[in-house]
Amino acid sequence: MLAMSSLAANVAATGTRQRSPESLRYYQSAVSMLRQRLADDAQRSGDAVIITLSNLCGFEAMSGNYDAVDMHTQGIRHVVNLRGGFDSLGFEGFLRTISVAWQTFYASRHSVWARVKSLIPKDGNFAYPEHPFDPGLCNIIAKFRPGLTDLALSGGLSHQMIVLISEIDNWERDIKNSLQQSDAYDLHGLSQNSRYVTLCGEFLHQPTLTLVEQLLILGMLGFCYSTDHTRATFWLSNAFLQLHCRYLNSVVIQVTERNAEFMTWVASVLAATFDPGSQPWALAFSLLKARPSQQDWRGNVNVSENFFWNESMSLRLSSKIGYLRQQDPQGQG
């Protein structure tokens, strides 16, 4: 936990995933204690081992060392098997939740890994199209919602980011078609929610993303969360998003007439998705307040419908209007 806290503080302060000497020292202490427990027959399958492995997974995931995440996740799986399955774990379901979450993360990451390698350049340098755009790229952009079309045509998004938008856009259409053909409102079963949350997360970890692209990823993540009634992917990635938004809260974000609709959508997604008082909520409120002209929540929803948006997000946003009014009686209610 101390290693995670130290690393988290560094991420929040710098926006990078660089490990500090302090966090490494705590990490090594945790590994040493884990080895002692694993050497003891009475402790090797205990709750403390699962908790330690889970924290080590979190530390490695936050710092981008996924090979180590895989190793610790396999350790969790082994301990769970020794205990007789997920339902045999303690802490009133807490250990079951985190164990399932890391197994889900493992499966999701490996399912998208080939796509990640094809989308994200090894050197981290994304390719930005210049006008006139390639006809094939224009055909992709033409299918987007109006707000996303304008954003893509601005030249501020990389070719890879445009492809990611296209994949999520196609996925959204598949969801709508599935719902029209079925009475069962089970979006988690119908969608590849975990896959796209993981893919967006991989993009967000890239240090070369522009500020606009980082905000775009946050908006798309919020949309992906809204389609998952289990909230499994949300709870697994929430900690990193809190830290990233804390970092974004420390930088200057210019909100102008030109980008006001995009910023309104990002802010509305964050407000709908996260709890009042959280770092994403603070970022949402600052973006809304910085707009040249204010509008009520219904106006925000109308704007957001030009991007990725659905009815569940409207309902969540409307349930928080009271909090927005308390913070800004004149602007957001």
Side-chain angles (χ1 to χ4, degrees), residues 72-94:
H72 296 316
T73 303
Q74 295 292 352
I76 292 175
R77 179 180 297 175
H78 178 67
V79 175
V80 169
N81 289 336
L82 289 176
R83 292 282 291 273
F86 292 113
D87 293 331
S88 302
L89 303 180
F91 281 87
E92 299 180 345
F94 171 71

Side-chain angles (χ1 to χ4, degrees), residues 94-113:
F94 171 71
L95 290 185
R96 184 186 192 283
T97 298
I98 62 174
S99 297
V100 170
W102 283 115
Q103 303 304 316
T104 300
F105 177 78
Y106 177 90
S108 298
R109 193 179 69 80
H110 281 275
S111 72
V112 304
W113 193 239

Side-chain angles (χ1 to χ4, degrees), residues 102-251:
W102 283 115
Q103 303 304 316
T104 300
F105 177 78
Y106 177 90
S108 298
R109 193 179 69 80
H110 281 275
S111 72
V112 304
W113 193 239
R115 192 68 184 118
V116 167
K117 289 191 290 186
S118 67
L119 271 181
I120 300 178
K122 287 184 178 180
D123 60 5
N125 294 320
F126 292 93
Y128 289 83
E130 296 181 356
H131 289 288
F133 285 3
D134 177 86
L137 189 61
C138 290
N139 288 335
I140 292 175
I141 295 173
K143 299 176 183 178
F144 293 171
R145 294 186 179 186
L148 294 168
T149 298
D150 293 341
L151 188 63
L153 290 175
S154 70
L157 300 183
S158 68
H159 186 280
Q160 293 88 346
M161 188 67 69
I162 292 172
V163 172
L164 177 62
I165 294 174
S166 176
E167 291 192 8
I168 294 179
D169 187 56
N170 290 333
W171 167 57
E172 182 192 19
R173 296 176 195 275
D174 289 341
I175 290 176
K176 289 181 177 179
N177 291 336
S178 297
L179 290 176
Q180 290 172 357
Q181 298 168 9
S182 172
D183 293 331
Y185 193 77
D186 185 6
L187 289 175
H188 186 72
L190 294 171
S191 72
Q192 300 184 61
N193 176 276
S194 298
R195 186 174 187 274
Y196 285 112
V197 167
T198 305
L199 196 54
C200 285
E202 291 297 327
F203 267 86
L204 192 58
H205 284 315
Q206 302 304 308
T208 57
L209 287 187
T210 66
L211 184 57
V212 168
E213 289 174 326
Q214 292 177 59
L215 293 171
L216 173 61
I217 288 292
L218 289 177
M220 291 194 294
L221 277 169
F223 171 76
C224 292
Y225 293 144
S226 73
T227 67
D228 179 14
H229 73 273
T230 70
R231 303 279 278 173
T233 52
F234 173 80
W235 296 119
L236 191 61
S237 52
N238 181 45
F240 176 75
L241 294 180
Q242 295 288 337
L243 293 170
H244 196 78
C245 287
R246 182 178 177 183
Y247 166 71
L248 291 177
N249 280 323
S250 70
V251 303

Side-chain angles (χ1 to χ4, degrees), residues 274-324:
F274 293 90
D275 294 331
S278 65
Q279 291 296 326
W281 175 273
L283 178 59
F285 184 72
S286 67
L287 293 176
L288 290 173
K289 195 172 182 180
R291 293 176 301 175
S293 58
Q294 300 297 313
Q295 54 192 346
D296 62 18
W297 75 274
R298 295 177 185 83
N300 294 340
V301 169
N302 290 337
V303 168
S304 298
E305 287 175 343
N306 289 320
F307 299 83
F308 288 116
W309 194 261
N310 56 38
E311 290 185 6
S312 70
M313 299 170 78
S314 296
L315 290 172
R316 289 186 180 184
L317 183 62
S318 66
S319 70
K320 299 173 182 177
I321 297 306
Y323 293 101
L324 288 169

